[in-house]
Amino acid sequence: MKVSVSFRTAILAITTGTLAACASAGGAASQQPASVQIAVPQIHHPDGQSAQWWFREGAAEAASRGAMRGHAKNLILFVGDGMSLATVAAARIYEGQLQGQSGEEHRLAWENFPDTALSRTYNTDYQTPDSAGTMSAMATGAKTRMGVLSIGQQAARNNCKAALGAQLLTLWELAASSGMATGVVTTTRVTHATPGATFSHSANRNWENDTDLPAAAREAGCIDIARQMVESPFGNGPDVLMGGGRREFMPNTTHDPEYPDQAGSRGDGRDLISEWQARHPGGEYVWNTTQLQSASNDGALLGLFEPDHMHFEHDRPTDGAGEPSLKEMTQAAIARLSKNANGYVLLVEGGRIDHANHYGNAYRALTDTIALSDAVRAATEATSADDTLILVTADHSHTLTFVGYPARGNPILGKVRGIGEEDAGDSEYALDGTGKPFTTLVYANGPGNTGASDSQPAGPKTFPHRGKGYKPVQGRPDLTNVDTTAPDYMQESLVPLGNESHGGDDVGIWAIGPGSDAVRGSVEENAVFHFLLQATPRLRAALCAKGDCDPNGVPAVLPTPGDFEGSGK
């Protein structure tokens, strides 16, 4: 049974005349209005919110901005995990300086896109969010709790029974059931929060393999994220799945092919890689760059390149077996998915930007952001803005920030050469109130705190450092003779934490392609789903066929996942 949303007011009239007919994915023409106003019930926040309310609210945001004008055949969502606006700005400057520029005037690949917006990232229960709740919002069109994957907010974290009754249809599941190709590419484990939200539903983001589930959850019928990714009842599941996380798919009796001293993590004895191969008899499984380069561009592809997360871009060349870059995985995914005449939906995540920020290491955060830019540029070169809508965004921010007044062209990872305060005089280095230099980039909290810890002495910290047992800071260190541009230098942090935290500030959305002009203003994060959905006639039609659209043809009713199970291929 469909769950309807009650209204205080009727649907308002279309505010702008219809535009010329837009070509659908199947080639048929349809008239679409420039802007549609959808009535959203007035509620008391936050207790009046529900998955149904969030879905309608997101639909209204997208439709009012003209997303229904879109005629996209293909969708690509790039997510820079933890890619705050400060991270984007610093990476822009750093790449420009690597190319011999001053840096500030440089642009990352997506900064040339014509349309931009700001995204509000909070979860339904936390002001500062996590990746599970944020990607779930972008994947399903409804915001939800911290720590859960693609289930409604009514189900509490760790409550398996409630989660089974609160599953939300994802954009990737809808696409797979509608005959489109689907892909998921990441530098994290493919069972991690962001990729996991595409084809799994879980009361806990950490239930990645069967041994992670509590006994009560297994008894209640919940299954792990890896199994869900392989066994998805929507179409054939992901046609392309690439990233890390081999161990989540391998039994603990099987040795890893790259690291013989390691084994799989599964305790149920199941070899999910073999099961994936059985489900995709024409597909290929690869675990290193050479195999990826040799794989056919036809058929499904499973690439699991590390037992755990893939390497940071800086460290990738040290991988003995050879690990593909995010750009190479993106190119491989598009080459295969584009063979589907019905189009495709692809997620590409630069997932380790987040990890580097958590580790308080700006160097790796910036180089992984540049790697994401390379992947975005490759995607724009491999596709056409006439039929492919590309969105680039982040799921949440971090506490990385710029301080002082560095002179134009000052090395972004260096110490401030300029002034420390607005009316101060120039000197070789800007100095703090105790006469010591400081860097442009710092973190508000995290393991870069300069107090002594159980593992490193007082003073600047060296990556990797997961601080525990901190001692109070006794003044700032003198950085005069410290190379703060070194890859392993960790920026100073004010509050000592073992892991730097996310931030609660807005992140950017950059868009190009059919329907991109709807991406503007300040929107809730779940509107990302609706921008993509409404811009794609094939996906709109699939929901309307199940009665999930309003009289204007806008998908505004929260869909029931069971209505879309099965293969549309």
Side-chain angles (χ1 to χ4, degrees):
M1 176 186 292
K2 292 285 186 294
V3 180
S4 62
V5 181
S6 60
F7 301 94
R8 272 197 330 127
T9 57
I11 299 172
L12 300 178
I14 297 173
T15 59
T16 311
T18 57
L19 299 179
C22 295
S24 71
S30 62
Q31 295 284 336
Q32 290 299 340
S35 176
V36 179
Q37 302 300 315
I38 298 175
V40 178
Q42 297 295 312
I43 62 171
H44 183 269
H45 297 277
D47 50 289
Q49 296 168 352
S50 65
Q52 294 88 345
W53 184 89
W54 279 115
F55 193 88
R56 189 168 193 90
E57 181 278 333
E61 286 199 86
S64 68
R65 289 167 167 80
M68 291 289 289
R69 291 194 300 260
H71 55 277
K73 175 185 176 183
N74 311 309
L75 302 174
I76 306 178
L77 175 63
F78 284 91
V79 176
D81 198 311
M83 191 176 70
S84 63
L85 291 174
T87 303
V88 171
R92 167 205 310 150
I93 294 170
Y94 188 54
E95 184 176 48
Q97 292 176 344
L98 290 175
Q99 296 175 3
Q101 307 168 18
S102 172
E104 299 84 2
E105 69 286 349
H106 185 66
R107 289 174 181 260
L108 298 172
W110 56 82
E111 293 184 291
N112 292 308
F113 288 5
D115 300 296
T116 60
L118 289 174
S119 173
R120 307 179 194 182
T121 64
Y122 60 93
N123 294 148
T124 59
D125 56 345
Y126 277 85
Q127 189 175 85
T128 296
D130 86 322
S131 296
T134 52
M135 183 58 198
S136 294
M138 292 189 281
T140 69
K143 287 202 176 197
T144 191
R145 294 174 180 268
M146 177 184 283
V148 303
L149 293 181
S150 297
I151 61 174
Q153 68 178 75
Q154 68 270 29
R157 187 173 186 177
N158 295 316
N159 189 328
C160 168
K161 183 177 180 180
L164 291 173
Q167 295 183 1
L168 301 177
L169 182 72
T170 76
L171 191 72
W172 284 261
E173 292 169 339
L174 174 63
S177 70
S178 303
M180 299 177 73
T182 59
V184 178
V185 172
T186 181
T187 53
T188 69
R189 297 188 298 271
V190 297
T191 50
H192 208 238
T194 300
T198 59
F199 278 98
S200 73
H201 308 266
S202 181
N204 190 315
R205 59 177 286 178
N206 297 319
W207 293 351
E208 297 186 50
N209 68 70
D210 66 300
T211 64
D212 296 325
L213 271 73
R218 290 196 296 270
E219 292 168 3
C222 281
I223 62 175
D224 59 86
I225 295 166
R227 268 189 63 190
Q228 291 187 57
M229 299 292 280
V230 170
E231 298 176 352
S232 173
F234 300 92
N236 289 320
D239 297 292
V240 172
L241 180 62
M242 285 190 283
R246 268 196 310 265
R247 69 188 187 198
E248 315 299 337
F249 296 79
M250 296 168 50
N252 55 20
T253 55
T254 299
H255 291 287
D256 186 84
E258 184 176 3
Y259 308 99
D261 59 332
Q262 298 184 34
S265 295
R266 303 196 64 82
D268 57 8
R270 296 181 63 167
D271 181 348
L272 296 185
I273 295 172
S274 295
E275 292 184 25
W276 180 90
Q277 291 173 311
R279 188 176 186 184
H280 302 275
E284 295 189 56
Y285 165 64
V286 299
W287 59 267
N288 60 53
T289 301
T290 300
Q291 293 175 348
L292 176 62
Q293 292 171 342
S294 300
S296 168
N297 281 341
D298 295 315
L301 177 67
L302 174 63
L304 299 174
F305 301 105
E306 284 291 322
D308 197 352
H309 302 303
M310 294 178 69
H311 288 86
F312 289 109
E313 179 62 19
H314 170 70
D315 305 306
R316 187 170 61 83
T318 66
D319 184 76
E323 187 177 289
S325 67
L326 188 60
K327 172 184 174 180
E328 291 169 330
M329 291 192 291
T330 300
Q331 291 171 321
I334 293 173
R336 287 159 179 77
L337 299 177
S338 60
K339 300 293 182 67
N340 189 312
N342 296 327
Y344 59 84
V345 178
L346 171 63
L347 167 70
V348 179
E349 183 201 21
R352 305 224 65 194
I353 300 168
D354 175 68
H355 295 166
N357 276 326
H358 276 307
Y359 296 156
N361 181 230
Y363 179 91
R364 285 175 173 78
L366 303 192
T367 50
D368 267 50
T369 302
I370 293 169
L372 178 67
S373 178
D374 291 339
V376 172
R377 186 176 300 106
T380 60
E381 293 171 352
T383 60
S384 169
D386 293 334
D387 65 3
T388 302
L389 175 59
I390 300 177
L391 263 63
V392 179
T393 189
D395 50 354
H396 55 74
S397 71
H398 272 273
T399 71
L400 181 71
T401 190
F402 287 57
V403 300
Y405 296 86
R408 182 75 184 268
N410 194 88
I412 192 63
L413 293 170
K415 296 178 279 289
V416 174
R417 293 178 183 271
I419 57 176
E421 301 177 61
E422 287 189 45
D423 297 324
D426 286 333
S427 62
E428 181 182 8
Y429 290 125
L431 304 178
D432 68 8
T434 66
K436 296 174 182 176
F438 53 92
T439 58
T440 300
L441 298 179
V442 298
Y443 288 95
N445 61 46
N449 183 270
T450 57
S453 72
D454 286 348
S455 57
Q456 294 193 23
K461 295 301 184 287
T462 301
F463 174 87
H465 173 243
R466 300 295 292 272
K468 294 181 180 179
Y470 280 104
K471 306 297 188 296
V473 175
Q474 303 296 320
R476 288 191 59 247
D478 185 353
L479 300 179
T480 302
N481 298 313
V482 175
D483 182 5
T484 64
T485 67
D488 292 341
Y489 174 78
M490 294 174 60
Q491 281 63 33
E492 289 181 74
S493 68
L494 174 63
V495 179
L497 293 177
N499 210 21
E500 182 264 355
S501 76
H502 295 169
D505 42 313
D506 295 353
V507 298
I509 310 173
W510 296 263
I512 189 171
S516 71
D517 56 352
V519 179
R520 63 183 189 273
S522 175
V523 299
E524 298 289 357
E525 190 164 39
N526 56 302
V528 168
F529 168 96
H530 296 277
F531 287 137
L532 296 167
L533 168 65
Q534 292 181 23
T536 313
R538 188 177 189 89
L539 297 180
R540 294 199 308 254
L543 289 177
C544 289
K546 298 295 185 180
D548 295 326
C549 295
D550 76 352
N552 290 311
V554 180
V557 178
L558 187 72
T560 300
D563 289 348
F564 299 88
E565 292 184 1
S567 175
K569 307 197 174 182

